[in-house]
Amino acid sequence: MRLHVLLVILTSLPCKVLNEQQGIQRRVEQFFEASSHTNNWVLLVCTSRFWFNYRHVANVLSLYHSVKRLGIPDSNIILMLADDMPCNPRNPKPGTVFNSKYQHINLYGTEVEVDYRGYEVSVENFVRVMTGRVHPATPRSKRLLSDHQSNVLVYLTGHGGDGFLKFQDSEELTNVDLADAIETMFQSNRVNRCISESTVRTCLRRAAR
């Protein structure tokens, strides 16, 4: 069996976000429907802070609910949120996050389990989760316990550019960092095959028009 990793990086550069989200969700469904695996794991990361980055939290929570609808339990989902938008004092509806102006579905509720919050969402912790090099006292809910028969989805949303993604507006995850983490997964038999997908370049081209 092979372990597949699907990497989806979504920046906040001007683009048709709704179409991108729908396309990502379709590809995620196809990815998890692959037959050459026995279990699925998901790492969802919102790297942005501050109220004006509300949409990034909505992005990651939308995908969180999508993968749960596919039958993936919270025990196999690691959710990292850099800011607490539901409790932000500027939120007109405390305790809620919506991905549509019609506000039909509250994406943040009692069923959402956040594993890394605030300043726990860092480049170091992200890389440690991917490579399995976490502190021995790290609880199971904060570990990516994938094996050679797992499909793993890694999704990041935030501000970025060509070759980097910002974390907390104070540090950057570069494409080299990400490549090194994936290579470490290969070397430690946490991954046998990597499927990489990015919407960064598409957004950059549209922004330049």
Side-chain angles (χ1 to χ4, degrees):
M1 297 291 183
R2 289 180 178 269
L3 168 66
H4 303 268
V5 176
L6 174 63
L7 295 173
V8 183
I9 303 176
L10 179 64
T11 71
S12 64
L13 296 171
C15 60
K16 297 179 181 178
V17 176
L18 180 59
N19 289 338
E20 294 290 352
Q21 283 290 115
Q22 293 173 341
I24 288 171
Q25 291 180 9
R26 286 194 295 270
R27 290 189 289 272
V28 167
E29 291 177 5
Q30 294 170 356
F31 174 69
F32 285 132
E33 287 173 356
S35 60
S36 59
H37 70 289
T38 61
N39 60 89
N40 298 307
W41 285 84
V42 180
L43 174 57
L44 304 175
V45 187
C46 174
T47 66
S48 298
R49 295 183 66 82
F50 310 119
W51 177 250
F52 52 81
N53 291 318
Y54 179 101
R55 64 196 179 280
H56 298 159
V57 177
N59 286 343
V60 80
L61 289 178
S62 294
L63 194 55
Y64 171 84
H65 287 285
S66 293
V67 297
K68 289 194 71 174
R69 283 195 296 270
L70 293 174
I72 301 175
D74 275 308
S75 59
N76 287 39
I77 301 173
I78 299 176
L79 179 59
M80 306 176 77
L81 297 181
D83 207 343
D84 191 1
M85 293 302 174
C87 296
N88 190 293
R90 297 179 64 180
N91 191 340
K93 294 186 176 182
T96 64
V97 173
F98 300 97
N99 63 356
S100 167
K101 65 179 180 180
Y102 302 109
Q103 301 185 352
H104 292 314
I105 301 175
N106 175 19
L107 299 174
Y108 194 92
T110 56
E111 75 280 4
V112 175
E113 296 185 12
V114 182
D115 302 297
Y116 289 79
R117 294 178 181 272
Y119 288 108
E120 287 185 318
V121 182
S122 64
V123 171
E124 178 182 356
N125 282 341
F126 170 75
V127 172
R128 286 185 179 277
V129 169
M130 284 196 66
T131 59
R133 294 175 175 174
V134 297
H135 189 277
T138 302
R140 185 190 185 283
S141 63
K142 293 188 174 186
R143 296 172 182 257
L144 182 66
L145 300 176
S146 56
D147 57 36
H148 67 287
Q149 293 183 319
S150 302
N151 275 16
V152 180
L153 165 67
V154 180
Y155 174 85
L156 303 101
T157 179
H159 287 285
D162 191 10
F164 73 93
L165 182 69
K166 296 176 69 176
F167 272 62
Q168 308 272 7
D169 281 336
S170 61
E171 57 179 347
E172 297 175 354
L173 174 74
T174 68
N175 53 356
V176 175
D177 297 328
L178 191 56
D180 286 345
I182 295 172
E183 178 62 23
T184 299
M185 294 180 76
F186 273 101
Q187 295 297 330
S188 58
N189 294 320
R190 291 170 63 85
V191 59
N192 287 324
R193 180 181 177 187
C194 177
I195 303 174
S196 179
E197 180 174 342
S198 171
T199 60
V200 174
R201 293 187 181 277
T202 300
C203 292
L204 284 170
R205 286 198 295 269
R206 288 173 179 166
R209 291 177 182 175

